Amino acid sequence: MGYDAYVHIKKKYTKLAVEKLLILMDYEKRGNSFYCGNDDEYKFFAGVHVWLCDEKEEEWIYRVRSQSFAVGYDLQKMNETIRCLKQYCDASFESDYGKNRYFPEDTLIKGAESGCYFPVERLFNNFSSLKHTLSKYPRDIEAEKSMYEISGIPTPSMFNANVYSTYLCSLIEEYFRTTYIAYLSSICRVDKMWATGF
């Protein structure tokens, strides 16, 4: 699941012209696709991907996509991308909301608040993955328990408990580290703005 739009561009515009336009919109080329995201101001969470997904006799079809957990800036970038392709390449498009209908944009979360939101979201996703993994692991069998009592060899569940507790600690450490970096980065940006007089 995610946000998808298909942009139909007539072949009188070359693929190179479309690629140059995407690069002007701050996309970077990654293989056969283009990506915009991971900025220093913590605006984009999912980022936006654009690639040529189909070719017909008279048109190119480009797909513009973001993940289902996209935030306001991701959706704003998707709409901006579609608008530019529509305006400068005489294109039409279909989004999840219908023909030539843009995505509704969410509230824009800025600065330190945005930088703190991302680590919380990642921590929640990692906790969910860990919980799912632990629920899938089978219980110890009697032979494994007996081996522990006789020779002290840990059972698979004991071993996993030790490994996963280390992983859990690293998740929490990463959360605090990235939150602290985001908070300090936003403070430094504000101080720099005051020093330069905006």
Side-chain angles (χ1 to χ4, degrees), residues 16-114:
L16 184 62
V18 175
E19 288 182 7
K20 284 182 179 177
L21 182 60
L22 290 170
I23 289 169
L24 286 172
M25 287 188 285
D26 294 328
Y27 280 87
E28 60 183 58
K29 190 165 185 175
R30 292 185 175 179
N32 293 328
S33 69
F34 291 84
Y35 174 75
C36 183
N38 299 334
D39 61 326
D40 294 335
E41 296 177 21
Y42 301 101
K43 288 182 178 179
F44 303 107
F45 187 59
V48 181
H49 296 269
V50 180
W51 69 93
L52 178 66
C53 68
D54 199 7
E55 178 182 347
K56 295 191 176 174
E57 191 176 319
E58 296 182 5
E59 66 181 10
W60 312 106
I61 301 174
Y62 281 84
R63 186 173 179 183
V64 182
R65 185 168 212 289
S66 191
Q67 300 294 327
S68 58
F69 46 84
V71 295
Y73 282 107
D74 295 317
L75 295 174
Q76 186 182 58
K77 187 66 179 180
M78 284 188 76
N79 286 337
E80 177 193 335
T81 303
I82 295 166
R83 269 189 203 97
C84 285
L85 290 172
K86 188 173 192 277
Q87 181 179 355
Y88 296 111
C89 297
D90 191 27
S92 62
F93 70 94
E94 296 117 29
S95 72
D96 296 334
Y97 291 87
K99 186 164 181 156
N100 292 327
R101 299 204 47 178
Y102 294 98
F103 296 97
E105 294 175 14
D106 291 341
T107 309
L108 300 179
I109 302 170
K110 298 181 181 180
E113 183 182 358
S114 179

